[in-house]
Amino acid sequence: MTKYRREPISRGWTIAGLVVVAVVAVALVIAAVLRNHAAAASGTAAPLPSFTDASPSATPTATPTPTHTPIDRAAERFFAVAPDALWRATAGQCGKTEPVVERSTDRGQTWTDVTPHYRDIAQVASLDQIAAHAAAMVTELGDDCTPTGIRTFTDGRFWEPFDAVIDDAHYLSFTDAAKVISPDGYYAAPCDDAHGLRAAGDIEAVICDGTAYERSADEWVPLPQKNALAVAVFSGDLYVASVGEKDCEGIAVTRLADADPAKSESAGCAADATAKGTIAIGPSSFGTFVWSADAVILVKP
């Protein structure tokens, strides 16, 4: 029987085999590249690799919110015009700042202090003229800050409590500027820091951060005048004092006939008046008085 002996594979054949494998691998890579080029040429994009970005995303820069300086309620002003005199008052704040009530018989050139100190007046929420030699106020009296209506028929020399004054009034709450007190109860003002509320008959208006609002059908409606400073009601018309009007470098007064924004017209310009601080206006049949800083200026259309 013939026996066969397995011969060892020579080193040369081993090296040749490795070369063949390498050549095949290179050929496969070249084929893949050619396919990608062909796909790009035909408009079919090869899938893109995805990556995970471990870096945190950029935080957007916050837009600064305009700051609003709250109204100093103690410095709030009230103004009323009677046929024989002008009346004005600062609100004060119960337990902190005493209000001041004054009367003028020379159209604001000089003033007489008629503050009812003997009544322990602590704060004022409204001021109205009611007849010749007469005015009425919604106030707080005494150390316990009791809301009380008072009136005078003696040019302010003597004041007496009178329930109807406060029972029929619309005014901002003494302790909460976001609340309006009315004969039917209370309701919300158009903002938390309302001021300058004025009401007469069916007309009611207030200021919130430079915007005047009129109450209509139990809703507050913003009026078109920009940078409003004060409002007032006279003879069924609504008046708005504002700054920034193109034809007035000082404080402009606009009359809204029948309290209708569509019926607005200029009621005058207090060119030398300053808008700094709290102001008040008092319209009348012979013009509108603008109480600004220490001056009272009469303007006419």
Side-chain angles (χ1 to χ4, degrees):
M1 182 175 181
T2 305
K3 293 184 179 180
Y4 294 92
R5 184 166 56 91
R6 180 176 296 176
E7 295 292 335
I9 300 173
S10 69
R11 182 178 299 178
W13 283 107
T14 301
I15 294 173
L18 292 175
V19 170
V20 170
V21 171
V23 169
V24 171
V26 170
L28 291 174
V29 171
I30 293 173
V33 172
L34 291 175
R35 282 197 300 272
N36 285 339
H37 279 291
S42 65
T44 304
L48 297 175
S50 60
F51 300 91
T52 301
D53 186 1
S55 62
S57 59
T59 302
T61 303
T63 301
T65 302
T67 57
H68 166 58
T69 303
I71 296 297
D72 179 5
R73 296 199 70 192
E76 185 160 359
R77 297 179 172 190
F78 303 90
F79 204 102
V81 182
D84 61 326
L86 306 179
W87 299 81
R88 70 181 186 182
T90 56
Q93 187 173 3
C94 189
K96 295 182 179 180
T97 306
E98 188 177 31
V100 177
V101 186
E102 297 174 298
R103 183 175 181 273
S104 173
T105 56
D106 55 9
R107 295 195 173 184
Q109 299 302 305
T110 60
W111 293 86
T112 300
D113 190 331
V114 294
T115 308
H117 300 286
Y118 66 97
R119 291 287 184 189
D120 291 329
I121 187 171
Q123 191 167 335
V124 174
S126 74
L127 169 66
D128 297 285
Q129 70 87 19
I130 53 178
H133 311 288
M137 294 189 294
V138 172
T139 66
E140 283 185 330
L141 300 182
D143 294 337
D144 57 354
C145 307
T146 303
T148 308
I150 60 175
R151 65 181 184 179
T152 179
F153 286 95
T154 57
D155 296 329
R157 288 190 296 273
F158 303 103
W159 296 81
E160 62 176 353
F162 191 65
D163 290 342
V165 171
I166 193 169
D167 291 344
D168 298 335
H170 290 72
Y171 59 97
L172 288 171
S173 165
F174 288 99
T175 57
D176 186 357
K179 183 185 295 185
V180 178
I181 310 298
S182 76
D184 299 323
Y186 68 86
Y187 47 86
C191 65
D192 293 337
D193 193 27
H195 67 98
L197 179 79
R198 299 292 186 270
D202 296 330
I203 303 174
E204 183 177 5
V206 73
I207 302 291
C208 275
D209 194 18
T211 298
Y213 290 82
E214 178 185 2
R215 190 164 174 82
S216 176
D218 296 332
E219 298 290 339
W220 291 106
V221 179
L223 298 176
Q225 286 72 33
K226 304 297 183 182
N227 304 310
L229 301 171
V231 293
V233 182
F234 174 71
S235 190
D237 298 332
L238 178 60
Y239 291 74
V240 180
S242 61
V243 293
E245 300 294 335
K246 64 179 181 178
D247 296 328
C248 180
E249 294 184 359
I251 296 176
V253 180
T254 303
R255 171 178 169 265
L256 281 59
D258 302 322
D260 185 349
K263 300 178 181 178
S264 62
E265 62 182 12
S266 174
C269 171
D272 298 328
T274 176
K276 293 181 179 179
T278 306
I279 76 162
I281 58 174
S284 69
S285 58
F286 41 87
T288 301
F289 291 91
V290 178
W291 179 18
S292 169
D294 295 327
V296 172
I297 303 168
L298 177 64
V299 299
K300 297 181 179 182

